[in-house]
């Protein structure tokens, strides 16, 4: 933390604040989740200029039919975008969803939202023609019936008048909020809606650049919104912790869709839809995160989005993998009678901490903190660590039998007699120290970057300090448990358990490393929306990450099988030698008796 304070002027520049978006009174929690997204369209008459709610339903129907046609033509991405547009640019933007929620009921509103989302999910996968046709027909019929109920409600204004009244109410409440709230001087207290609003004009400018023919500039601005706001300011990690990993993957892929649309010179209408849908998703997530920030907010979200909670969770998440690797290495050295070499592992840890701090400073100074370069470095580091873990895991497994271990120790002892003391173990110790360095370096650099983001959003140094201390205490307890309980385990179970732990981390690192390369735009990602996201186990909805994990798992299984077969053969050979020796002894004894 002291190191962060020394470079505060570089890490934590002042960030201008935006006004809070308009809110509406007397709406239930479901509407409040999406209120920010729909309010953004309140002043756009092109989305609300309808004389009846049936006219809105008709417009949505046409968009759904267009999406279905796109799907039949084989354009799955275009179909998904059209289904999203039907929900956000019409259903929500024209206030249809809000009035359904307020006048008919939250259950109906949630049911319709789920139908939109089911269509979007189905559209990403080919071969769902019948399913999409059925779902589209059902949703169209329900929207038409709902619109008729709304038109029959004499107390409800038509869409155009409703939007005008809502815009006036929004302006009134915004004015009241501006007068009542404490002015933000740029030193924290920013809401996640502020961050989402900061990204909106950047994304709008990205589209304008693409529209004017400068696709490269458009892609650059999309990357700026992603790396300098969504990632750098902690938006991504908070959504991961407070909402879901699946949601993070959806938003990340939406960013990628925007970039690919511009790189591939896709039609302007498609690029515009991707941008608009992305902005709506960001505002929706910001609204959910902000709902836990007030005095009456959800206590879990409030904790997760606090400076203490973020600092605690980030360090636990990033430090746990490193702790598991380091503790296993040190326990192995102690178990094998090489405790004197543990100092090199601790030096590797120290070097990793120093290196992670230095690389974080370099990235802040050269690349404004976050960017594809950092993601690529993290990915390459993870994959190198994966290979070293695979080697170490296989080596430990090969020594898991008492016979193999005794033979190994005997060989090392005889070599040590004829060479300089400890000379033969230098290479293996260096490789283990390097593994501990890589484990700490990868997680440490990322932790420093995230702590920078937390501070730039909250300016709550004391909360961050307490969160970091609490997380550090938990990690120390985990380390000590592994360190001092594992040495009491017999040789074979110890090596099998340790090897299995490292093998699991091999699979985790494989997924995380390839995912970082996808985030850094080094390789393209094939999105698989049906696959869940879990940052804790390195599971991401991309064909490339899953393939890497499958390959890593196959390598682990193959090496385990080879090692097991080898040990079985050695055991049989040893048993045969022992049996032969017993037979010879018995024969000699018989000869002695005959004499």
């Amino acid at each position: 933390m002291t190191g962060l304070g020394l470079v505060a002027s570089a890490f934590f520049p002042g960030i201008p604040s935006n006004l809070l978006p308009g809110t509406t009174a007397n709406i239930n929690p479901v509407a409040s989740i999406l209120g920010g997204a729909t309010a953004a369209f309140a002043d756009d008459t092109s989305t609300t200029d309808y004389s009846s709610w049936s006219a809105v339903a008709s417009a949505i129907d046409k968009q759904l039919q267009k999406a279905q046609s796109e799907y039949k033509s084989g354009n799955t991405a275009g179909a998904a975008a059209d289904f999203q547009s039907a929900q956000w640019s019409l259903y929500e933007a024209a206030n249809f969803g809000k009035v359904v929620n307020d006048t008919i009921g939250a259950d109906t509103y949630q049911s319709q939202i789920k139908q939109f989302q089911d269509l979007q999910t189905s559209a990403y996968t080919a071969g769902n023609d019948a399913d999409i046709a059925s779902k589209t027909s059902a949703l169209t019929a329900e929207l038409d019936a709902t619109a008729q109920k709304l038109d029959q409600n004499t107390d409800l204004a038509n869409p155009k008048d409703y939007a005008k009244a809502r815009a006036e109410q929004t302006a009134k409440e915004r004015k009241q909020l501006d007068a009542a709230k404490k002015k933000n001087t740029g030193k924290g207290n920013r809401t996640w809606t502020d961050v989402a609003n900061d990204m909106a004009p950047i994304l709008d400018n990205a589209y304008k650049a693409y529209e004017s023919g400068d696709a490269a500039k458009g892609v650059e601005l999309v990357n700026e919104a992603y790396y300098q706001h969504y990632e750098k300011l902690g938006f991504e990690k908070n959504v991961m912790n407070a909402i879901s990993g699946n949601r993070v993957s959806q938003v990340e892929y939406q960013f990628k869709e925007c970039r690919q649309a511009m790189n591939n010179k896709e039609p302007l209408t498609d690029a515009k839809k991707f941008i608009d849908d992305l902005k709506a998703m960001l505002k929706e997530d910001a609204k959910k995160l902000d709902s836990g920030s007030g005095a009456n907010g959800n206590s879990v979200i409030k904790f997760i989005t606090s400076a203490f909670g973020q600092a605690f969770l980030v360090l636990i998440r990033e430090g746990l993998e490193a702790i598991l690797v380091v503790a296993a290495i040190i326990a192995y050295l102690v178990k094998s009678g090489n405790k004197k070499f543990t100092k090199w592992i601790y030096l590797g840890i120290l070097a990793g901490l120093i290196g992670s701090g230095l690389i974080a400073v370099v990235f802040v100074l050269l690349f404004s903190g976050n960017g594809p370069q950092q993601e690529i470095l993290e990915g390459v580091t993870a994959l190198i660590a994966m290979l070293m873990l695979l080697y170490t895991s296989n080596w430990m497994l090969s020594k898991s039998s008492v016979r193999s271990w005794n033979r190994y120790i005997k060989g090392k002892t005889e070599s040590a007699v004829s060479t300089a003391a400890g000379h033969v173990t230098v290479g293996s110790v260096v490789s283990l120290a390097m593994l501990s360095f890589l484990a700490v370096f990868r997680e440490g650099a990322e932790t420093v970057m995230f702590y920078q983001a937390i501070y730039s959003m909250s300016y709550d140094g004391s909360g961050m300090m307490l969160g970091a201390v609490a997380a550090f205490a938990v990690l120390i307890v985990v380390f000590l448990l592994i360190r001092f309980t594992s040495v009491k385990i017999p040789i074979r179970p110890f090596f099998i358990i340790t090897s299995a732990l490292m093998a699991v981390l091999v699979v985790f690192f494989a997924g995380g490393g390839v995912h970082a390369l996808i985030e850094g735009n080094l390789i393209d990602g094939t999105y698989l929306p049906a696959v869940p996201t879990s940052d804790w186990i390195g599971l991401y909805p991309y064909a490339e990450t899953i393939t890497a994990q499958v390959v890593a798992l196959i390598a682990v299984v193959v090496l385990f099988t080879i090692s097991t077969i080898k040990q079985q053969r050695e055991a049989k050979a040893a048993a045969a030698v022992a049996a032969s020796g017993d037979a010879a002894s018995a024969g000699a004894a018989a000869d002695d008796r005959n004499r």
Side-chain angles (χ1 to χ4, degrees):
M1 297 302 295
T2 303
L4 286 175
L6 293 175
V7 293
S9 60
F11 278 1
F12 316 132
I15 303 175
S17 65
N18 292 331
L19 299 177
L20 284 170
T23 58
T24 55
N26 301 320
I27 59 176
N28 67 32
V30 177
S32 68
I33 290 175
L34 292 171
T38 55
F41 299 101
D43 297 325
D44 185 357
T45 58
S46 64
T47 61
T48 60
D49 192 14
Y50 297 97
S51 59
S52 67
W53 296 106
S54 293
V56 178
S58 178
I60 299 174
D61 294 348
K62 291 180 180 178
Q63 184 67 19
L64 291 174
Q65 294 302 322
K66 179 177 181 294
Q68 188 176 356
S69 297
E70 288 288 337
Y71 185 82
K72 289 181 178 178
S73 69
N75 185 7
T76 56
D82 284 337
F83 281 128
Q84 287 180 340
S85 180
Q87 178 186 352
W88 292 107
S89 299
L90 292 169
Y91 183 81
E92 295 293 354
N95 296 309
F96 197 102
K98 178 168 171 35
V99 295
V100 167
N101 184 81
D102 291 351
T103 62
I104 296 180
D107 290 342
T108 301
Y109 172 72
Q110 290 174 335
S111 173
Q112 293 176 357
I113 287 296
K114 185 177 185 304
Q115 291 179 68
F116 277 111
Q117 293 173 346
D118 287 345
L119 282 169
Q120 293 167 28
T121 301
S122 298
Y124 279 112
T125 306
N128 289 333
D129 299 74
D131 182 52
I132 287 179
S134 175
K135 290 178 178 177
T136 300
S137 178
L139 179 55
T140 298
E142 182 173 341
L143 292 175
D144 290 342
T146 301
Q148 290 181 10
K149 290 183 181 180
L150 296 177
D151 287 334
Q152 292 170 3
N153 187 344
T154 57
D155 294 329
L156 180 64
N158 63 47
K160 186 174 183 178
D161 293 340
Y162 180 92
K164 182 179 179 182
R166 188 181 178 201
E168 292 174 352
Q169 178 67 17
T170 297
K172 180 180 178 181
E173 292 180 359
R174 180 178 296 161
K175 186 176 181 180
Q176 291 173 345
L177 282 172
D178 290 342
K181 80 172 188 176
K182 180 180 178 181
K183 294 298 182 181
N184 190 334
T185 60
K187 293 186 177 181
N189 298 320
R190 304 179 75 227
T191 67
W192 293 109
T193 301
D194 289 335
V195 178
N197 287 341
D198 286 347
M199 286 186 273
I202 298 174
L203 294 171
D204 287 336
N205 289 335
Y207 172 73
K208 290 177 182 178
Y210 181 63
E211 186 179 31
S212 66
D214 193 348
K217 180 63 175 178
V219 171
E220 180 183 338
L221 288 170
V222 172
N223 282 336
E224 178 184 340
Y226 178 76
Y227 291 115
Q228 303 304 322
H229 292 77
Y230 188 71
E231 267 206 345
K232 183 177 180 179
L233 297 182
F235 201 116
E236 175 193 29
K237 284 297 179 184
N238 276 275
V239 171
M240 177 80 70
N241 294 329
I243 301 178
S244 72
N246 290 347
R247 181 59 172 181
V248 170
S249 293
Q250 291 170 6
V251 175
E252 285 181 344
Y253 187 69
Q254 194 68 21
F255 272 106
K256 185 176 286 290
E257 289 273 57
C258 293
R259 291 193 295 263
Q260 288 180 342
M262 296 177 185
N263 282 327
N264 297 336
K265 303 296 188 296
E266 294 183 14
L268 292 175
T269 53
D270 291 349
K272 185 68 165 61
K273 287 178 183 177
F274 288 134
I275 292 291
D276 289 343
D277 291 341
L278 175 57
K279 291 190 298 180
M281 294 169 78
L282 293 171
K283 289 179 180 179
E284 177 187 355
D285 291 350
K287 190 71 174 181
K288 289 183 180 180
L289 294 178
D290 287 339
S291 69
S293 300
N296 298 321
N298 181 284
S299 58
V300 175
I301 297 180
K302 186 175 181 180
F303 167 75
I304 290 173
T305 56
S306 68
F308 176 93
Q310 291 183 69
F312 177 82
L313 291 173
V314 164
L315 187 53
I316 287 291
R317 164 66 186 85
E318 303 301 329
L320 190 58
E321 286 182 5
I323 284 292
L324 291 175
V325 172
V326 170
I329 293 173
I330 292 177
Y332 151 68
L333 289 174
V334 174
K335 191 76 175 177
S336 63
N338 291 293
K339 186 176 181 180
K340 62 183 179 180
F341 292 120
T342 57
K343 64 182 179 181
W344 297 106
I345 308 304
Y346 290 117
L347 285 176
I349 295 172
L350 180 61
L353 291 172
I354 295 174
S356 62
L358 291 176
I359 201 67
V361 173
V362 169
F363 275 108
V364 167
L365 297 178
L366 296 182
F367 308 115
S368 301
N370 286 53
Q373 297 86 357
Q374 180 197 343
E375 300 291 350
I376 292 172
L377 177 63
E378 289 178 4
V380 171
T381 303
L383 293 177
I384 293 175
M386 177 203 72
L387 293 175
M388 297 187 71
L389 276 171
L390 183 62
Y391 170 80
T392 304
S393 170
N394 183 62
W395 184 90
M396 285 187 174
L397 187 63
S398 69
K399 301 296 181 289
S400 60
S401 72
V402 175
R403 184 178 294 102
S404 297
W405 178 247
N406 289 338
R407 185 171 61 252
Y408 172 75
I409 293 297
K410 180 181 178 181
K412 290 298 181 184
T413 303
E414 292 174 350
S415 298
V417 171
S418 59
T419 59
H423 203 199
V424 295
T425 59
V426 170
S428 60
V429 171
V430 169
S431 66
L432 292 175
M434 179 60 70
L435 181 56
S436 67
F437 165 80
L438 288 173
V440 174
F441 173 77
R442 174 178 179 266
E443 308 300 341
E446 196 170 2
T447 299
V448 172
M449 305 299 289
F450 285 138
Y451 270 40
Q452 171 209 346
I454 296 169
Y455 187 80
S456 68
M457 280 296 298
S458 67
Y459 280 79
D460 183 4
S462 60
M464 286 181 59
M465 175 69 78
L466 291 173
V469 169
F472 189 73
V474 171
L475 292 175
I476 289 296
V477 170
V478 172
F479 171 77
L480 293 176
L481 284 174
I482 298 176
R483 163 68 176 82
F484 291 104
T485 59
S486 59
V487 295
K488 298 179 181 179
I489 303 175
I491 286 291
R492 180 172 175 78
F494 169 75
F495 274 174
I496 290 178
I497 292 172
T498 305
S499 178
L501 172 62
M502 290 189 172
V504 170
L505 290 175
V506 165
V507 179
F508 291 177
F509 278 29
V514 174
H515 180 251
L517 298 181
I518 292 175
E519 284 191 312
N521 295 322
L522 186 64
I523 61 177
D524 291 329
T526 304
Y527 186 58
L528 304 174
V531 177
T533 299
S534 177
D535 199 42
W536 290 89
I537 62 174
L539 178 62
Y540 302 97
Y542 290 96
E544 292 76 11
T545 60
I546 294 175
T547 299
Q549 290 186 310
V550 170
V551 171
L553 181 60
I554 291 174
V556 168
V557 172
V558 168
L559 291 175
F560 174 82
T561 302
I562 292 174
S563 179
T564 301
I565 293 174
K566 184 178 180 181
Q567 288 185 21
Q568 289 176 346
R569 288 177 178 176
E570 290 177 350
K572 289 181 180 179
V577 170
S580 175
D582 291 342
S585 298
D591 291 341
D592 290 340
R593 285 195 300 272
N594 291 331
R595 291 193 190 100

